[in-house]
Amino acid sequence: MCGIVGYIGHRQSQPILLEGLKKLEYRGYDSAGIAVFTEQGLEITKSVGRLANLEGRLSGDPLKGTVGIGHTRWATHGKPSDANSHPHTDNSMKFSVVHNGIIENYLELKEELVQAGHRFQSETDTEVISHLIAVEYEGDIVKAVQKAVRKMRGAFALGVLTEHEPDRLVAVRYASPLIIGIGEGEKFIASDIPAILEHTRDIYILNDGEMAVLTREGVELMTIEGNFISKDVFHVDWDLMTAEKGGFDHFMLKEIHEQPKAYSDTMRGRVSEDGRSVALSELSITAEQLRSIDRVHIVACGTAMHAGLVGKTVIEQLARIPVETDVASEYRYRSPIITPRTLVIVVSQSGETADTLAALREAKRNGARVLAITNVVGSSVAREADDVIITLAGPEIAVASTKAYTSQLIAFYLFGLHLAQTLGTQDEAYIARVLAAMQSLPEQVERILAQGEVIKEVAESIAHNRSLFFIGRGLDYAVAMEGSLKLKEISYIHSEAYAAGELKHGTLALIEEGVPVIALITQEELQEKTLSNIKEVKARGADVLGIVNEGAEAEIAKSVDTLFAIPRTLPLLTPALSVIPLQLLSYYASLSLGHDVDKPRNLAKSVTVE
């Protein structure tokens, strides 16, 4: 992933491709490249780093031609480099591909191709696609692409060119967005509307399993199986900024709504086909090394630390190994007890968080093995850790983290299950049950998001309070901490999270008439205890919003003022659902107060100083 642009028409394609890629810079990227049909044939120029680097390479030697494809890459397979940048080609240099998504079975396909004599220049899964298409080509690029994609498992949006048919551009969508732009005598492909909005406002939106064949004169739409289809043209009436946000008012809201996809992407390729086990093939740590671990340290900052608190419970419950959690800025100053049998898990969205990086280095100096959970392949944390689980949330633009946090939760669930199945602490039936429930999470999040207006009303009712509280027990307390942080970050309302059982040890002194209390009540074995704590704050005049499981509303309604029900899942997985209404609550409270949701005061997206 991250940004695709393609053009076929009567104008020079290079400037159109570069401008389109610039319009997609907001999505984040680490390298860029273009492929253009010139008089010499298919030519490619690409460069690691910012688009300015690519433009510098092209300034003295532009690619002249009216058909081309371009890409900005957010690394998933292979570090950021010139070789790993898109577009990719086959050995003959006659086929070129840009790709967003993940090919789950690329290693299997690559091995077959290598045995057949193919040579690969990159570490990416994408390069396999260009070789596959070349193998399948028998004079018709459309049929070759169809045959190739039938062999692929995963998610992909593709733009494909071949020198054999220079007047056709093929586009394919499967679980990764792609649109087709319609102009007079020219056509476009793009992964997002802003890339082509300057040139056309008439588009086709491809659905999963659909493809398009573009010529200067028209567009043929069909399924991957080759059945022709028709679509209505969608006319875009958004301005550019709204288009960058996918029609949402803010990046934060867009990213909240992207969480179902982020869940699916982070799980994709890491669950066996029969759904009964986890397959973390990216980890080099052996089963023997995993069995030698006698303690785990989870180290992170801010929101990532809150994901780590959930991770602690997940690992302890599933693998029965003691876990400590530490704020990264404190970790190395307390002389932690680290041995070669300690596994240190560092968590960072950007992979460049200075305190987390310092903690990683301290752990390695003391002989620990380090596992990183991060969203950025080529980051310092990813490079320096012994093992990495990449969270495939995609770039996160808003300062307040949402989809990065929940993708970190998914990573912890996957690793906890992987550890449990290696150690034999959970049987296959239970692991399969958890994985089945995880596969339902994206749809369950969609159901919560559909009730956004309910949360908006609550948010507007609490926005003008000077202070409020979040309470919960067990995993609910971990989520309460994240909910409280989100509210502070973007609404600037003073907010505190407490373990509900701690209220009577001092905090009740702060409860007075009308103070809002957000109570999470999703851990069924702790429900009775939490309800007792709610009665304590109600007796002192608090207004209580309860976040509960579907089916528990009738029983809990007697104890709270307002209810919001989340879909029922396994207790261990509830944080992946219960945090969603809290994210929306923070967003709408900030909006109600007129704040800049995406750029809260005093904060930066990546904290690269201690």
Side-chain angles (χ1 to χ4, degrees):
M1 55 179 76
C2 182
I4 288 175
V5 181
Y7 175 77
I8 182 167
H10 51 83
R11 294 185 282 167
Q12 287 296 311
S13 61
Q14 177 179 304
I16 294 170
L17 297 174
L18 290 175
E19 285 303 314
L21 294 177
K22 286 179 182 177
K23 296 295 194 303
L24 298 178
E25 283 190 290
Y26 70 93
R27 294 162 64 94
Y29 65 101
D30 49 55
S31 58
I34 64 170
V36 174
F37 283 132
T38 71
E39 290 182 355
Q40 287 72 42
L42 187 61
E43 293 191 56
I44 296 174
T45 301
K46 49 190 184 176
S47 175
V48 71
R50 310 306 294 173
L51 274 167
N53 297 350
L54 178 62
E55 289 180 302
R57 291 190 176 183
L58 291 166
S59 60
D61 189 20
L63 302 184
K64 296 181 179 178
T66 59
V67 181
I69 51 178
H71 191 268
T72 49
R73 178 176 185 254
W74 174 273
T76 55
H77 291 73
K79 64 186 179 183
S81 68
D82 287 358
N84 289 332
S85 305
H86 298 210
H88 286 287
T89 64
D90 69 311
N91 290 150
S92 73
M93 295 286 292
K94 302 293 186 184
F95 299 84
S96 184
V97 174
V98 289
H99 164 227
N100 282 350
I102 304 162
I103 307 305
E104 296 174 9
N105 60 332
Y106 87 100
L107 285 174
E108 172 190 328
L109 295 170
K110 186 174 183 178
E111 186 176 336
E112 293 175 4
L113 290 162
V114 168
Q115 289 176 355
H118 291 252
R119 301 179 311 281
F120 287 82
Q121 308 300 318
S122 77
E123 305 167 274
T124 69
D125 54 342
T126 302
E127 191 179 359
V128 169
I129 304 171
S130 56
H131 287 256
L132 273 180
I133 294 170
V135 167
E136 298 294 345
Y137 187 73
E138 295 178 345
D140 188 329
I141 186 58
V142 178
K143 290 181 179 177
V145 170
Q146 290 169 342
K147 290 178 181 177
V149 299
R150 287 179 201 139
K151 294 182 177 180
M152 292 155 39
R153 295 197 308 271
F156 43 87
L158 305 178
V160 182
L161 295 178
T162 178
E163 194 173 305
H164 300 298
E165 300 179 51
D167 294 319
R168 298 171 101 186
L169 168 57
V170 179
V172 184
R173 171 183 174 158
Y174 189 83
S176 195
L178 200 63
I179 62 168
I180 309 300
I182 308 161
E184 189 66 37
E186 57 186 2
K187 307 295 180 289
F188 308 81
I189 66 170
S191 51
D192 211 346
I193 290 170
I196 60 175
L197 198 54
E198 177 184 342
H199 306 289
T200 181
R201 290 181 174 269
D202 292 329
I203 65 171
Y204 291 124
I205 300 173
L206 294 185
N207 295 322
D208 286 350
E210 294 179 350
M211 61 186 296
V213 183
L214 287 67
T215 64
R216 293 173 179 84
E217 292 75 31
V219 178
E220 284 186 332
L221 301 171
M222 63 190 76
T223 65
I224 290 173
E225 291 75 27
N227 300 314
F228 289 98
I229 56 176
S230 61
K231 281 182 175 290
D232 293 332
V233 173
F234 176 71
H235 183 77
V236 181
D237 55 10
W238 309 331
D239 60 24
L240 181 60
M241 184 56 71
T242 303
E244 287 182 355
K245 295 169 184 170
F248 292 98
D249 291 335
H250 297 90
F251 282 112
M252 182 180 177
L253 187 59
K254 176 176 181 279
E255 288 158 8
I256 289 171
H257 281 260
E258 286 174 342
Q259 286 175 118
K261 182 178 185 300
Y263 284 26
S264 296
D265 287 349
T266 300
M267 285 188 277
R268 184 173 286 115
R270 290 164 167 163
V271 178
S272 64
E273 289 190 37
D274 63 5
R276 302 191 67 80
S277 63
V278 174
L280 294 179
S281 58
E282 64 263 51
L283 299 186
S284 62
I285 188 169
T286 65
E288 183 179 355
Q289 289 169 324
L290 284 173
R291 292 188 188 101
S292 74
I293 294 168
D294 64 1
R295 76 186 74 185
V296 175
H297 293 176
I298 297 175
V299 186
C301 301
T303 285
M305 181 61 200
H306 296 154
L309 292 173
V310 175
K312 169 184 166 68
T313 298
V314 168
I315 292 171
E316 288 186 340
Q317 285 194 14
L318 292 175
R320 308 308 298 160
I321 295 175
V323 181
E324 298 176 25
T325 54
D326 266 284
V327 175
S329 57
E330 295 290 331
Y331 184 67
R332 62 196 176 110
Y333 299 114
R334 71 169 180 86
S335 299
I337 299 172
I338 300 171
T339 75
R341 298 182 68 186
T342 305
L343 176 67
V344 176
I345 303 177
V346 296
V347 191
S348 168
Q349 185 278 137
S350 68
E352 302 295 345
T353 310
D355 288 316
T356 305
L357 192 54
L360 181 158
R361 291 166 179 163
E362 177 72 9
K364 295 198 75 170
R365 273 195 297 271
N366 284 276
R369 189 177 185 96
V370 178
L371 166 66
I373 295 176
T374 183
N375 201 37
V376 182
V377 170
S379 62
S380 298
V381 162
R383 292 195 309 270
E384 297 188 30
D386 299 293
D387 288 288
V388 185
I389 298 176
I390 298 296
T391 55
L392 299 169
E396 192 176 62
I397 308 302
V399 167
S401 179
T402 52
K403 64 176 181 172
Y405 165 80
T406 47
S407 294
Q408 289 162 1
L409 298 187
I410 300 298
F412 271 117
Y413 292 133
L414 291 169
F415 180 71
L417 290 167
H418 174 70
L419 195 54
Q421 68 192 23
T422 302
L423 302 182
T425 50
Q426 304 294 335
D427 62 31
E428 184 181 301
Y430 178 76
I431 290 172
R433 183 181 170 214
V434 176
L435 288 172
M438 287 177 65
Q439 301 284 356
S440 298
L441 290 175
E443 183 273 331
Q444 291 177 316
V445 173
E446 294 280 11
R447 286 167 54 193
I448 296 172
L449 295 173
Q451 301 178 71
E453 286 298 316
V454 177
I455 293 295
K456 183 179 180 181
E457 289 181 17
V458 176
E460 290 171 347
S461 73
I462 68 167
H464 295 282
N465 284 272
R466 294 180 57 195
S467 224
L468 59 81
F469 298 91
F470 289 76
I471 61 172
R473 285 175 175 261
L475 284 170
D476 282 340
Y477 174 45
V479 177
M481 294 177 73
E482 174 59 12
S484 176
L485 176 61
K486 279 293 150 290
L487 193 69
K488 284 182 278 200
E489 277 183 303
I490 62 171
S491 74
Y492 320 141
I493 299 170
H494 173 256
S495 166
E496 298 295 338
Y498 288 95
E502 283 292 289
L503 287 169
K504 62 179 71 71
H505 298 290
T507 313
L508 277 174
L510 297 173
I511 303 297
E512 57 188 6
E513 191 72 31
V515 168
V517 173
I518 315 299
L520 287 95
I521 324 158
T522 72
Q523 301 299 296
E524 292 178 358
E525 73 279 11
L526 296 169
Q527 178 175 305
E528 186 177 324
K529 296 288 186 182
T530 306
L531 287 174
S532 294
N533 302 134
I534 289 171
K535 288 174 183 175
E536 291 173 342
V537 297
K538 283 293 296 173
R540 289 155 179 84
D543 291 329
V544 180
L545 164 65
I547 307 295
V548 306
N549 294 316
E550 286 179 349
E553 298 97 325
E555 182 177 356
I556 295 174
K558 309 166 192 171
S559 303
V560 301
D561 298 285
T562 310
L563 274 177
F564 186 89
I566 62 171
R568 188 172 288 273
T569 187
L570 298 178
L572 195 66
L573 302 182
T574 55
L577 299 178
S578 59
V579 75
I580 308 297
L582 303 188
Q583 293 170 346
L584 290 168
L585 185 78
S586 302
Y587 171 79
Y588 286 118
S590 179
L591 198 65
S592 178
L593 293 168
H595 299 318
D596 188 337
V597 174
D598 289 331
K599 296 178 181 178
R601 67 190 184 197
N602 305 332
L603 300 178
K605 183 63 180 170
S606 178
V607 183
T608 55
V609 295
E610 291 189 57

